Structures are given as C-alpha cells and as structure tokens.
Amino acid sequence: MNDTLYGTRDKRGYWKPSNWPLLLSIHTQPTRPQVWLRYLFGFPGYLWPWSTVYFLITLGVWYYLTPPLEMMRQFSVGWISFILARNAGLVLLVYGTFHALLYIQRRQGTDFKYNIKWPDIGNPTFLFGNQTAENVFWTMCSGVPVLTAYEVLTWWLFANEYVPYVSFAEHPIYFFAVLVLIPLWREAHFYFIHRLIHLGPLYNIIHKVHHNNVNPGPWSGLSMHTFEHVIYFTNVLIHFVVPSHPLHAIYELMNAALSPAKTHVGFHKLVVVGEQAIPSDNYFHYLHHKLFEVNYSDRSIPFDVWFGTAHDGSPEADEQLFKRLRASKANKHISAPSPSP
C-alpha cells in the first residue's frame, strides 16, 4: 500500500495524513442520525474494530482465565499469582505482537510511520541506553503489577459484595448501556488525570518517563513511572460506586491495559496484506508526544477543542500553540514576585 496516496512526508522524515479532521462528524453534525450510526457502527467507528477487539479479549479473560468469584473472597497467593501471570501473558502477547510485526520484522517498512526513525539505541536518556528495553521494563515490572493489584482488589470487593452489583438478567438495558459507555468514561478520566500530571513538578516526578518517548512505539504505551500507573488505573474505581457487573470492571481494566499498544504504535494504518489495512488512527496522540502541550485525550469527547489544546498537525495549529505557550510564559513572568530591593 502506497502511503503517499494518503499523506505526505516532509524532509525531516515526518509523515502526516493529508485529510485528517480534527473533530469527528458527530460533533460537527450532531442532529443527523446517519452520522451517529456511522460513528457507532462504521469502520473505523466507536464500536468497531478496537472497542470490539478489547471486549472480545475481556470475554475470553472473564470466562476462561479468571478464577470463580467465591474463590476470591479471601486473598491467597494462588489466585493472585494466577492473575499476575495471566496479565503478564496478555500484555506480552498484545504489545509483543505489534512490536514484532512492525519493529522487528518491519512488515510494512516505514509506510504510514509518523516518524521515519526507529526506536533509539545508545541513548543515555533511556534505561540501559535502549528505548524499547526501558519501555518493556516499565510495562512489565511496574504496569503489570499495578494493573494486577487493582484487579485483585476489584475481584475481592465483588466476591464479598462490598460494591453495588447489577446482573444482566435483571437489568439488561442498563447492563448494556454501562458496557457501551466504558470507553467514553475512560477517555474523560484520562483527559483530566493527564492534564494533572502535566502540571509543574508532577510532570518531572511522574510523567517525564512516559514522555521520553518522543518517537513512540507499541511498548511506549504503558511505559510509565509507577506513580503514574497508580493514577492511570484509577479509572476502575468508578465501578466501586456505580452499580456494575464484574465484567464491566474487567473490561475497564483490559481496555486501559491493552489499548495503549495501539494508540502508541507509531503508524497511521496497519497493512494486513496487499491493499488491505486496519486503521490505527493515532495521529492525534502522536502529536501529543511530539509537541507535549496538545491533544491530551482522544477525539470521541472533544475536551481538547473545548479547552483550546487541540492540534491537527497544520501550520495554523502550530501558530496557535506558539501563541498559547508565549502567553503562558508571559503570565508566569508577570505573576512572579518582584526581587527585594
């Protein structure tokens, strides 16, 4: 597949899509039913392919790779170790598959790759001097244990009926509605915690590890400081207060744990065979890694448009960003205390 038909690459090796709308059509044409149907059921859309993929993985985990709830009423090394090993295997499979196909075998070369360069080697910015090695370290040695801790707590609370429970049999419409809304909640939660850890010293203490990846790859997605992992997975806490089923909670965690591989993959399209490709469409978040102070969330809810932090890769958006940064610096200078005489 020829990526020049879909975008352009500049002299520095940066590729960008030629036709990339900042706002989804549901935000620009909210009263048209066909627009909503296309958004919900189209390809790509809200439900297909990626939300469906994560939900199918969740179903498999729930039915085949999760101990019975009654077993989890008491903490024990046995079932906790099983959950930890299962999560490590899932993350290794999903992130490792993206990385193996695109970065080791390089199945599609640099076609649709936003940055023509490959992950850094011999760069002292990263642990071991290797970007991928650092990413794998933080993902497997911090991300997976923190994910598992939240999941273990969730199972224990549901098993002991300490959190409000809803069943599909009794409330099928509510059950389905909560399920469908989970990706939207995750996006809203992520936007606000993301803005928080970009503030002042929190960035250097917590978020800088993730932003070392200015040229992200799949393993960059969950490569975070442990403190950030602790904050990131708090999205599941909503199910401790909102009536939910354990399936909702595990879908919340699986979505949060596995989706960063796709959003950080570094390619706009994933070529399957010949002219067939799966849309990855993570240019919005790629620009966040490239420019830092833009695009804090995804586009399903236009938080970045509402708060003036959206960027579509255009020169006009660059100019708006520079104006915003200059104004921010000027405000900081004005508000700084005057030196003593």
Side-chain angles (χ1 to χ4, degrees):
M1 181 175 283
N2 187 352
D3 67 3
T4 61
L5 300 176
Y6 299 88
T8 57
R9 193 175 297 279
D10 64 23
K11 293 181 181 179
R12 292 180 295 174
Y14 296 116
W15 186 91
K16 66 178 180 179
S18 55
N19 183 20
W20 186 78
L22 180 63
L23 276 178
L24 297 173
S25 55
I26 57 167
H27 305 306
T28 58
Q29 304 172 39
T31 60
R32 298 179 63 187
Q34 62 269 36
V35 170
W36 280 91
L37 291 173
R38 190 183 309 119
Y39 168 66
L40 289 173
F41 302 107
F43 183 89
Y46 179 73
L47 298 176
W48 180 257
W50 296 108
S51 291
T52 300
V53 169
Y54 301 134
F55 180 64
L56 290 175
I57 292 173
T58 300
L59 279 179
V61 167
W62 168 248
Y63 282 109
Y64 302 109
L65 296 173
T66 301
L69 273 180
E70 53 268 21
M71 180 187 295
M72 297 187 281
R73 289 175 183 155
Q74 300 291 331
F75 294 117
S76 70
V77 173
W79 69 266
I80 293 174
S81 298
F82 177 81
I83 297 293
L84 178 63
R86 177 254 276 160
N87 287 343
L90 277 174
V91 168
L92 189 61
L93 177 64
V94 173
Y95 287 71
T97 297
F98 277 120
H99 183 77
L101 294 177
L102 295 170
Y103 287 83
I104 297 177
Q105 298 178 14
R106 299 185 181 179
R107 289 283 185 91
Q108 63 187 72
T110 57
D111 288 348
F112 298 103
K113 191 174 188 303
Y114 298 126
N115 188 326
I116 202 169
K117 296 180 180 179
W118 298 98
D120 280 351
I121 298 174
N123 184 341
T125 299
F126 298 100
L127 292 174
F128 324 113
N130 185 300
Q131 180 179 351
T132 300
E134 175 180 286
N135 290 173
V136 173
F137 170 80
W138 283 111
T139 299
M140 299 302 295
C141 298
S142 176
V144 170
V146 173
L147 162 68
T148 301
Y150 275 108
E151 186 180 347
V152 166
L153 175 61
T154 300
W155 292 135
W156 180 78
L157 290 171
F158 272 109
N160 288 283
E161 301 180 358
Y162 292 151
V163 292
Y165 171 87
V166 64
S167 71
F168 176 78
E170 294 178 355
H171 304 284
I173 296 176
Y174 176 83
F175 184 99
F176 182 73
V178 172
L179 196 64
V180 170
L181 290 173
I182 282 173
L184 286 180
W185 157 248
R186 208 181 77 74
E187 184 174 330
H189 170 269
F190 180 68
Y191 179 82
F192 289 105
I193 65 164
H194 198 179
R195 290 301 301 268
L196 175 67
I197 58 179
H198 265 264
L199 295 176
L202 289 178
Y203 177 85
N204 289 319
I205 296 171
I206 296 176
H207 199 42
K208 189 175 184 297
V209 168
H210 185 66
H211 265 291
N212 285 338
N213 299 283
V214 294
N215 178 24
W219 283 105
S220 305
L222 212 58
S223 178
M224 308 172 187
H225 192 284
T226 302
F227 291 161
E228 182 169 357
H229 284 131
V230 171
I231 297 171
Y232 177 72
F233 286 114
T234 55
N235 64 312
V236 76
L237 299 184
I238 193 172
H239 300 285
F240 296 178
V241 294
V242 173
S244 306
H245 187 275
L247 183 63
H248 294 137
I250 189 62
Y251 179 44
E252 188 85 61
L253 287 171
M254 289 296 106
N255 195 308
L258 303 180
S259 62
K262 191 274 295 184
T263 56
H264 292 78
V265 75
F267 288 79
H268 196 66
K269 290 180 181 288
L270 309 179
V271 179
V272 180
V273 60
E275 295 297 309
Q276 301 299 313
I278 300 174
S280 174
D281 190 21
N282 55 81
Y283 186 60
F284 195 74
H285 191 69
Y286 166 76
L287 287 173
H288 176 74
H289 278 264
K290 182 181 177 183
L291 302 173
F292 290 81
E293 301 298 334
V294 301
N295 302 355
Y296 291 94
S297 69
D298 205 340
R299 293 179 294 140
S300 294
I301 308 176
F303 287 118
D304 286 290
V305 174
W306 295 338
F307 292 102
T309 55
H311 197 296
D312 63 0
S314 66
E316 293 79 11
D318 281 337
E319 182 59 30
Q320 291 299 318
L321 172 62
F322 296 148
K323 286 181 180 178
R324 181 160 58 86
L325 294 178
R326 285 197 295 267
S328 177
K329 289 181 180 179
N331 289 335
K332 288 179 181 178
H333 178 73
I334 291 172
S335 61
S338 301
S340 301

